Amino acid sequence: MRGGIVRCGLLVVLLVMLSSAIAHVQAAPTTSPSQQSNLAPTYRIFATREGLVGRRTANGHIIQPRDRFVALPCWCVLSPKGTDTFKVRLTYNGRSVVVPVWDVGPWNTRDDYWNPNRRYSDLPVGMPMAEAAYYHGYNGGRDEWGRRITLPNGIDIADGTFWDDLGMTRSDYVYVTFLWLGEDPGPGSAIDVSSGQITDDLDPTVTAPEGATTIDNTDSTFDSVGKDWYEETCGLNGQHQWTYSTTDPTKATTAASWQAPDLSPGFYEVKAYIPVCGNPATTSARYRISHDGAITEVTLDQRAAAGQWASLGTYYFGGINNETPQVFLSDLTDDRGLAVRFDAIAWEPRSDTTPPDTQIISISRVENGFQLQWGGNDDMTGVASYDVQVRLLPNGGWTDWKLGTTDLSAWFGPHEGKQFEFRIRARDWAGNVESWETAAVVDTTAVP
């Protein structure tokens, strides 16, 4: 996929990734921002292993076993044989190494994607053309030679650097610092420019909510399925897993569940911790909370919730169904190619002492009676049921019409030419009961 070299033996990436979301990074500063403007830029690039031992690189070097160099897709930064005129710093999972550019590729030979005045000027700086072609169909999904691009890689890494220096075992994203464009920041942490976070030291003080039952992705009751899993070094206990989102149910193959088997019966607020590092996160993670015989789906913007224990709602657990509390999350979202983060779920005990707030929403004349619609809100455990009373105008006493109903509307009649008043109250799942209004909530005198 480079000039004069045929690529072989590459791992096929199955899940779709949104390349425009890949963050640009810059090495961690040891000085103030005003003092670091001449640091070489760093970008997060999908990397593959070069291999091809015994073959000749674009600068004439014969590839050796466990060799140490990289290939970039532009002849413009090819170092002469035996020199390091152009070199990069590679950083991966805490390891960092500087190696020369001795080959051209992958895929293209004129894609200087690190250059602010790059050849493909309609693409963001730091996004390889192959990546845009693979994920977004740029250039018809083909490289400059017309070949169908099958991987989003923007750098190839020789075996010694890939296996020994970086400890890589598969194609993955690495941080690439282009050292001819500025000063070498050294082997320190990288900073995601979009978030200002240090990737090797993110979430340093993450703790579980006090008093909560917390299940991390490292615990035995975290159960994952699928093979398209990746890891990042931030989150509770210093790491989390993630996968790429998809909008196609037929391609949603990666999922996990958290179970909390030892909860005492009661109300709990369910929270998900969303780490801050890695690829930009989905805005529509679909959590399914199993609670007391019911399942509630909650959509969470993980990108907006980064660095927080995000609430998924408050629910009752440990009722007559006696099922194990569980939270389920998959790669099926409303967006494609973004990171779905799987870290920790917490069940935090809650005490609800506030009754609901209800109202009659509408009343209308239907046939020879009246159609009423009502509703209510509760700040924690939710509305469990409603009571509705009616009285004959002008001086009748209040009588029960609906008791403990879960209906939100009903027909009352026949009216026989008479006028009525209605009032409503509700109780929540914690047993708090709203007081009756002293006056009628609504009457029929103004109903046309």
Side-chain angles (χ1 to χ4, degrees):
M1 299 178 188
R2 65 187 56 81
I5 292 183
V6 179
R7 173 158 311 284
C8 61
L10 296 177
L11 174 67
V12 176
V13 177
L14 298 179
L15 288 181
V16 178
M17 295 171 280
L18 183 60
S19 58
S20 62
I22 294 176
H24 296 177
V25 295
Q26 176 176 294
T30 56
T31 59
S32 67
S34 62
Q35 296 173 311
Q36 59 163 340
S37 58
N38 59 340
L39 288 179
T42 304
Y43 301 102
R44 198 166 187 254
I45 306 299
F46 193 77
T48 46
R49 183 176 68 86
E50 173 116 351
L52 303 176
V53 173
R55 302 293 295 273
R56 188 182 301 273
T57 67
N59 73 353
H61 171 73
I62 302 300
I63 301 177
Q64 304 298 310
R66 257 26 194 223
D67 220 336
R68 288 174 165 83
F69 66 89
V70 298
L72 290 176
C74 187
W75 287 95
C76 60
V77 293
L78 180 65
S79 298
K81 182 180 178 182
T83 73
D84 62 355
T85 303
F86 297 97
K87 55 188 176 181
V88 296
R89 176 175 290 281
L90 304 175
T91 303
Y92 181 77
N93 285 350
R95 299 188 182 191
S96 192
V97 63
V98 174
V99 289
V101 183
W102 281 357
D103 208 353
V104 178
W107 300 108
N108 296 301
T109 63
R110 295 177 292 173
D111 181 21
D112 54 340
Y113 60 81
W114 49 85
N115 186 350
N117 299 311
R118 62 180 297 180
R119 174 182 177 81
Y120 300 100
S121 58
D122 53 340
L123 293 178
V125 178
M127 179 190 294
M129 182 271 223
E131 190 172 338
Y134 182 80
Y135 294 124
H136 302 296
Y138 185 86
N139 196 41
R142 299 179 182 275
D143 69 4
E144 65 187 47
W145 311 104
R147 297 172 298 185
R148 176 69 63 182
I149 289 179
T150 58
L151 281 174
N153 44 333
I155 188 171
D156 284 333
I157 303 176
D159 291 357
T161 301
F162 189 94
W163 285 326
D164 303 327
D165 297 334
L166 299 179
M168 298 180 69
T169 59
R170 62 182 180 182
S171 301
D172 202 353
Y173 281 93
V174 301
Y175 292 107
V176 184
T177 305
F178 299 87
L179 296 179
W180 60 90
L181 296 178
E183 294 182 6
D184 183 355
S189 303
I191 292 181
D192 185 330
V193 171
S194 64
S195 67
Q197 298 290 341
I198 301 174
T199 59
D200 286 346
D201 190 27
L202 289 169
D203 304 336
T205 59
V206 179
T207 57
E210 185 175 356
T213 297
T214 302
I215 304 299
D216 194 16
N217 65 297
T218 58
D219 293 330
S220 60
T221 54
F222 174 82
D223 184 25
S224 61
V225 296
K227 60 182 180 180
D228 297 300
W229 290 102
Y230 305 88
E231 292 186 3
E232 287 287 355
T233 55
C234 68
L236 188 67
N237 297 317
Q239 64 86 47
H240 75 277
Q241 293 170 255
W242 64 278
T243 190
Y244 287 100
S245 64
T246 179
T247 59
D248 186 350
T250 65
K251 296 181 179 180
T253 59
T254 306
S257 63
W258 298 257
Q259 296 186 41
D262 299 322
L263 289 187
S264 299
F267 290 94
Y268 295 81
E269 184 177 8
V270 181
K271 296 180 176 181
Y273 186 75
I274 312 301
V276 298
C277 67
N279 285 15
T282 176
T283 60
S284 53
R286 301 177 185 176
Y287 292 86
R288 290 167 48 193
I289 301 96
S290 299
H291 57 97
D292 199 28
I295 296 177
T296 300
E297 182 172 295
V298 176
T299 300
L300 176 67
D301 184 342
Q302 288 193 337
R303 188 181 306 180
Q308 305 174 40
W309 283 97
S311 178
L312 302 179
T314 300
Y315 310 92
Y316 187 81
F317 297 93
I320 58 175
N321 295 283
N322 199 30
E323 61 181 299
T324 300
Q326 176 178 281
V327 174
F328 175 86
L329 178 64
S330 77
D331 54 354
L332 184 63
T333 68
D334 297 332
D335 46 41
R336 182 172 66 91
L338 298 179
V340 184
R341 307 204 188 288
F342 296 74
D343 191 18
I345 297 291
W347 286 260
E348 189 172 2
R350 287 291 184 235
S351 177
D352 186 358
T353 59
T354 303
D357 179 34
T358 60
Q359 61 179 328
I360 293 181
I361 299 171
S362 66
I363 182 171
S364 58
R365 192 180 299 274
V366 176
E367 297 178 346
N368 62 342
F370 301 98
Q371 185 72 30
L372 279 80
Q373 182 181 2
W374 57 84
N377 296 289
D378 186 74
D379 63 351
M380 185 172 294
T381 60
V383 175
S385 64
Y386 298 89
D387 299 330
V388 186
Q389 288 187 336
V390 60
R391 78 183 184 97
L392 178 65
L393 292 176
N395 299 312
W398 289 106
T399 59
D400 294 330
W401 176 38
K402 301 285 185 180
L403 291 179
T405 183
T406 58
D407 294 336
L408 297 177
S409 65
W411 180 83
F412 177 86
H415 58 68
E416 298 178 334
K418 301 173 183 177
Q419 304 292 339
F420 300 89
E421 290 180 330
F422 299 88
R423 66 181 182 181
I424 187 172
R425 70 177 182 182
R427 62 185 52 78
D428 61 23
W429 287 103
N432 300 301
V433 181
E434 184 181 13
S435 299
W436 287 113
E437 294 286 343
T438 56
V441 175
V442 70
D443 65 58
T444 62
T445 57
V447 178

PDB file of all heavy atoms in Angstrom, residues 335-346:
ATOM      1  N   ASP A 335     -26.044   7.305  16.818  1.00  0.00           N
ATOM      2  CA  ASP A 335     -24.939   7.817  16.012  1.00  0.00           C
ATOM      3  C   ASP A 335     -24.034   6.651  15.635  1.00  0.00           C
ATOM      4  O   ASP A 335     -24.201   5.536  16.118  1.00  0.00           O
ATOM      5  CB  ASP A 335     -24.165   8.914  16.753  1.00  0.00           C
ATOM      6  CG  ASP A 335     -23.863   8.548  18.204  1.00  0.00           C
ATOM      7  OD1 ASP A 335     -23.507   7.381  18.464  1.00  0.00           O
ATOM      8  OD2 ASP A 335     -23.999   9.415  19.073  1.00  0.00           O
ATOM      9  N   ARG A 336     -23.064   6.919  14.783  1.00  0.00           N
ATOM     10  CA  ARG A 336     -22.240   5.838  14.247  1.00  0.00           C
ATOM     11  C   ARG A 336     -20.754   6.174  14.406  1.00  0.00           C
ATOM     12  O   ARG A 336     -20.318   7.280  14.104  1.00  0.00           O
ATOM     13  CB  ARG A 336     -22.570   5.623  12.771  1.00  0.00           C
ATOM     14  CG  ARG A 336     -21.806   4.490  12.101  1.00  0.00           C
ATOM     15  CD  ARG A 336     -22.355   4.239  10.707  1.00  0.00           C
ATOM     16  NE  ARG A 336     -22.127   5.362   9.804  1.00  0.00           N
ATOM     17  CZ  ARG A 336     -21.051   5.489   9.028  1.00  0.00           C
ATOM     18  NH1 ARG A 336     -20.115   4.564   9.057  1.00  0.00           N
ATOM     19  NH2 ARG A 336     -20.913   6.522   8.234  1.00  0.00           N
ATOM     20  N   GLY A 337     -19.986   5.197  14.898  1.00  0.00           N
ATOM     21  CA  GLY A 337     -18.545   5.329  14.926  1.00  0.00           C
ATOM     22  C   GLY A 337     -17.982   6.113  16.086  1.00  0.00           C
ATOM     23  O   GLY A 337     -16.801   6.451  16.089  1.00  0.00           O
ATOM     24  N   LEU A 338     -18.796   6.411  17.105  1.00  0.00           N
ATOM     25  CA  LEU A 338     -18.291   7.088  18.294  1.00  0.00           C
ATOM     26  C   LEU A 338     -18.078   6.066  19.411  1.00  0.00           C
ATOM     27  O   LEU A 338     -18.524   4.925  19.326  1.00  0.00           O
ATOM     28  CB  LEU A 338     -19.261   8.180  18.732  1.00  0.00           C
ATOM     29  CG  LEU A 338     -19.483   9.304  17.708  1.00  0.00           C
ATOM     30  CD1 LEU A 338     -20.479  10.321  18.242  1.00  0.00           C
ATOM     31  CD2 LEU A 338     -18.170   9.976  17.344  1.00  0.00           C
ATOM     32  N   ALA A 339     -17.384   6.472  20.453  1.00  0.00           N
ATOM     33  CA  ALA A 339     -17.052   5.559  21.545  1.00  0.00           C
ATOM     34  C   ALA A 339     -18.236   5.402  22.500  1.00  0.00           C
ATOM     35  O   ALA A 339     -18.830   6.391  22.937  1.00  0.00           O
ATOM     36  CB  ALA A 339     -15.838   6.075  22.317  1.00  0.00           C
ATOM     37  N   VAL A 340     -18.588   4.152  22.807  1.00  0.00           N
ATOM     38  CA  VAL A 340     -19.552   3.851  23.857  1.00  0.00           C
ATOM     39  C   VAL A 340     -18.738   3.363  25.046  1.00  0.00           C
ATOM     40  O   VAL A 340     -18.047   2.351  24.961  1.00  0.00           O
ATOM     41  CB  VAL A 340     -20.568   2.770  23.428  1.00  0.00           C
ATOM     42  CG1 VAL A 340     -21.613   2.567  24.523  1.00  0.00           C
ATOM     43  CG2 VAL A 340     -21.241   3.161  22.123  1.00  0.00           C
ATOM     44  N   ARG A 341     -18.772   4.084  26.153  1.00  0.00           N
ATOM     45  CA  ARG A 341     -17.897   3.806  27.293  1.00  0.00           C
ATOM     46  C   ARG A 341     -18.580   2.895  28.316  1.00  0.00           C
ATOM     47  O   ARG A 341     -19.736   3.102  28.677  1.00  0.00           O
ATOM     48  CB  ARG A 341     -17.470   5.107  27.957  1.00  0.00           C
ATOM     49  CG  ARG A 341     -16.867   6.114  26.984  1.00  0.00           C
ATOM     50  CD  ARG A 341     -15.949   7.085  27.680  1.00  0.00           C
ATOM     51  NE  ARG A 341     -15.519   8.152  26.805  1.00  0.00           N
ATOM     52  CZ  ARG A 341     -14.654   8.012  25.807  1.00  0.00           C
ATOM     53  NH1 ARG A 341     -14.133   6.822  25.561  1.00  0.00           N
ATOM     54  NH2 ARG A 341     -14.317   9.041  25.048  1.00  0.00           N
ATOM     55  N   PHE A 342     -17.840   1.903  28.783  1.00  0.00           N
ATOM     56  CA  PHE A 342     -18.309   0.941  29.786  1.00  0.00           C
ATOM     57  C   PHE A 342     -17.339   1.006  30.964  1.00  0.00           C
ATOM     58  O   PHE A 342     -16.236   0.475  30.892  1.00  0.00           O
ATOM     59  CB  PHE A 342     -18.326  -0.474  29.213  1.00  0.00           C
ATOM     60  CG  PHE A 342     -19.284  -0.683  28.073  1.00  0.00           C
ATOM     61  CD1 PHE A 342     -19.011  -0.178  26.813  1.00  0.00           C
ATOM     62  CD2 PHE A 342     -20.458  -1.411  28.255  1.00  0.00           C
ATOM     63  CE1 PHE A 342     -19.875  -0.384  25.746  1.00  0.00           C
ATOM     64  CE2 PHE A 342     -21.330  -1.624  27.193  1.00  0.00           C
ATOM     65  CZ  PHE A 342     -21.042  -1.105  25.942  1.00  0.00           C
ATOM     66  N   ASP A 343     -17.759   1.665  32.035  1.00  0.00           N
ATOM     67  CA  ASP A 343     -16.884   1.758  33.206  1.00  0.00           C
ATOM     68  C   ASP A 343     -17.601   1.207  34.442  1.00  0.00           C
ATOM     69  O   ASP A 343     -17.706   0.008  34.591  1.00  0.00           O
ATOM     70  CB  ASP A 343     -16.428   3.199  33.410  1.00  0.00           C
ATOM     71  CG  ASP A 343     -15.304   3.311  34.436  1.00  0.00           C
ATOM     72  OD1 ASP A 343     -14.662   2.285  34.720  1.00  0.00           O
ATOM     73  OD2 ASP A 343     -15.055   4.410  34.952  1.00  0.00           O
ATOM     74  N   ALA A 344     -18.136   2.061  35.285  1.00  0.00           N
ATOM     75  CA  ALA A 344     -18.748   1.606  36.530  1.00  0.00           C
ATOM     76  C   ALA A 344     -20.194   2.070  36.636  1.00  0.00           C
ATOM     77  O   ALA A 344     -20.558   3.140  36.143  1.00  0.00           O
ATOM     78  CB  ALA A 344     -17.955   2.118  37.730  1.00  0.00           C
ATOM     79  N   ILE A 345     -21.007   1.236  37.299  1.00  0.00           N
ATOM     80  CA  ILE A 345     -22.400   1.577  37.619  1.00  0.00           C
ATOM     81  C   ILE A 345     -22.547   1.538  39.136  1.00  0.00           C
ATOM     82  O   ILE A 345     -22.053   0.615  39.789  1.00  0.00           O
ATOM     83  CB  ILE A 345     -23.396   0.592  36.976  1.00  0.00           C
ATOM     84  CG1 ILE A 345     -23.298   0.648  35.448  1.00  0.00           C
ATOM     85  CG2 ILE A 345     -24.817   0.906  37.436  1.00  0.00           C
ATOM     86  CD1 ILE A 345     -23.798   1.924  34.821  1.00  0.00           C
ATOM     87  N   ALA A 346     -23.230   2.541  39.687  1.00  0.00           N
ATOM     88  CA  ALA A 346     -23.448   2.611  41.137  1.00  0.00           C
ATOM     89  C   ALA A 346     -24.942   2.650  41.440  1.00  0.00           C
ATOM     90  O   ALA A 346     -25.709   3.296  40.724  1.00  0.00           O
ATOM     91  CB  ALA A 346     -22.763   3.841  41.725  1.00  0.00           C
TER      92      ALA A 346
END
